[in-house]
Amino acid sequence: MSEDSSRRRRASDDDDARPVTAAGRRRRAGAAGNGTGGDADTASGRPGKGTATPTRDRASAEPQGSLITRLRRFLREVVAELRKVHWPTRRQIVVYTFVVLVFVAFMVALVAGLDWVFAKAVFALFG
């Protein structure tokens, strides 16, 4: 056995080794925090899995402001979100439009063909 592989094995057996899985990271975070295994995060004041979500008092919430202020904020946020959108190029739009039109033409032909076949079958069956 080489020295490198034995060092690697010892590091994985050690408790201070970096966890590989998400469950190991949660376990390690819970053990390092308060020792409860991640049920509650008292250091940050947030409730854990076993507690109910605290209610919020509407009176202590931030004031809504006037209608004009809220409308301006909404429009600013809409513009900010639209700046994040990946807009397609003209070439991509042309290609996508062509693909959609070809698919729609194919589906129309398929439905028309099936309609014709079923019409002939019904006519042959019932005369």
Side-chain angles (χ1 to χ4, degrees), residues 8 22 24 29 37 59 63-64 74 87-88 94 100 113 115 117 125:
R8 197 177 315 130
Q64 293 293 323
F74 173 75
W87 296 100
V94 169
V100 168
D115 180 53
V117 168
L125 189 61

Side-chain angles (χ1 to χ4, degrees), residues 12-64:
S12 66
D13 294 340
D14 191 14
D15 287 341
D16 293 333
R18 183 172 181 218
V20 178
T21 64
R25 287 190 292 272
R26 282 192 300 270
R27 246 188 323 270
R28 184 173 183 185
N34 55 10
T36 61
D39 288 342
D41 190 2
T42 57
S44 66
R46 291 181 293 163
K49 280 188 171 182
T51 61
T53 304
T55 58
R56 294 187 179 106
D57 187 14
R58 285 197 178 265
S60 67
E62 64 182 49
Q64 293 293 323

